[in-house]
Amino acid sequence: MSKQVWTATGRRKSSVAQVRMTGGTGNIVVNGVDVEEYMPYATLVMDLKQPLVATNNENRFDIDITVKGGGFSGQTGAIRLGITRALLKFDANTDQSREDSYRHILKNEGFITRDPRVKERKKYGLKKARRAPQFSKR
């Protein structure tokens, strides 16, 4: 019998993360490397594990992640959203109106909403998106 797999996709800035969650012991692998080695800062690792901590599932699932694009911060946000969506698929059969449902817990923490902020495009005549050249009177 094959293990049940919950898959989800998360996006943030220009990063896209594909998350595969299976029952296990809490191992998280990002692009074939352990998450502690892949992410340069412990705060980023803590940030992507927040949905698991909020639902008390730190040691319940093995998670395999493929992430592309962006920097570490954007990738962390994409992974967090992907983990959240996978947890929602795992908990889909329970009554969503209950206080202890994953949807209720994750919604109150603000993990379900995709962060829509992306880099603004550069406009012609300006140095960056909004930064104008210094004004010179003479």
Side-chain angles (χ1 to χ4, degrees):
M1 188 172 134
S2 64
K3 277 187 167 181
Q4 191 165 5
V5 178
W6 297 275
T7 60
T9 302
R11 294 182 187 87
R12 168 86 170 92
K13 293 186 178 181
S14 61
S15 300
V16 179
Q18 305 249 298
V19 176
R20 294 182 73 241
M21 192 170 75
T22 58
T25 58
N27 296 329
I28 300 177
V29 177
V30 180
N31 291 346
V33 182
D34 184 56
V35 70
E36 304 287 342
E37 295 174 28
Y38 185 82
M39 293 293 170
Y41 307 112
T43 53
L44 294 176
V45 176
M46 185 182 71
D47 190 33
L48 70 84
K49 287 183 179 179
Q50 282 180 330
L52 297 169
V53 173
T55 56
N56 295 321
N57 287 317
E58 300 101 304
N59 300 319
R60 187 170 176 189
F61 298 109
D62 285 341
I63 301 175
D64 185 39
I65 302 160
T66 305
V67 65
K68 294 178 182 171
F72 288 114
S73 177
Q75 288 184 354
T76 301
I79 291 169
R80 185 170 80 172
L81 182 61
I83 290 172
T84 300
R85 288 179 173 173
L87 285 169
L88 291 177
K89 284 185 181 180
F90 167 75
D91 196 45
N93 295 332
T94 61
D95 182 18
Q96 300 300 316
S97 63
R98 292 175 41 179
E99 293 282 321
D100 62 341
S101 71
Y102 286 178
R103 179 162 192 84
H104 188 268
I105 294 167
L106 295 169
K107 183 93 172 157
N108 285 345
E109 295 287 332
F111 298 141
I112 294 178
T113 307
R114 187 223 190 267
D115 191 345
R117 297 175 296 170
V118 293
K119 188 174 174 105
E120 190 174 334
R121 79 171 206 85
K122 181 192 178 299
K123 281 77 167 187
Y124 60 87
L126 301 182
K127 292 185 178 292
K128 291 166 60 176
R130 298 186 181 202
R131 169 78 172 103
Q134 184 172 352
F135 175 75
S136 174
K137 199 167 196 177
R138 282 171 195 71

